[in-house]
Amino acid sequence: RLKYIITVMEEALYITVRYLVYRRLGQYGFIKFAVFKKIISYITGINDFYIIRKIFIRLMEEGFFLRNPYGSKKSYRYKFIGD
């Protein structure tokens, strides 16, 4: 069961990156997490906030996103740099 979950997560990560590259989201600059949440939900068909957040954090750890270094501490914006 654990192997299945890991495989599904890796597939969701791969599909998400491919779609973000295809849509060239890096050209849009810094975007709120809520927008990426909707995109990831649309791509993967997952509606669980916890899993979507986990996918996003994993992509951040792998260096696909750059966090906005300035602005409000309450609401960060992220830029996709996987192009």
Side-chain angles (χ1 to χ4, degrees):
R1 173 146 169 91
L2 181 61
K3 185 177 179 181
Y4 173 75
I5 292 171
I6 292 172
T7 304
V8 170
M9 181 65 108
E10 293 297 325
E11 186 176 334
L13 293 170
Y14 177 74
I15 291 169
T16 302
V17 171
R18 294 279 301 194
Y19 184 81
L20 296 176
V21 169
Y22 170 73
R23 296 292 299 187
R24 297 182 183 169
L25 284 181
Q27 296 177 354
Y28 292 102
F30 289 93
I31 303 172
K32 290 184 177 182
F33 168 73
V35 175
F36 286 112
K37 182 181 81 166
K38 290 177 185 176
I39 292 171
I40 294 170
S41 177
Y42 171 74
I43 298 165
T44 61
I46 298 170
N47 294 320
D48 185 9
F49 177 77
Y50 175 77
I51 296 173
I52 293 172
R53 184 74 183 167
K54 197 166 187 153
I55 290 170
F56 185 79
I57 289 172
R58 179 84 181 273
L59 291 174
M60 269 199 66
E61 289 172 351
E62 293 187 15
F64 287 105
F65 289 100
L66 179 66
R67 190 166 68 177
N68 193 358
Y70 52 87
S72 172
K73 296 287 182 184
K74 294 180 183 177
S75 177
Y76 291 108
R77 293 177 186 253
Y78 303 91
K79 181 177 182 178
F80 179 69
I81 55 174
D83 291 347

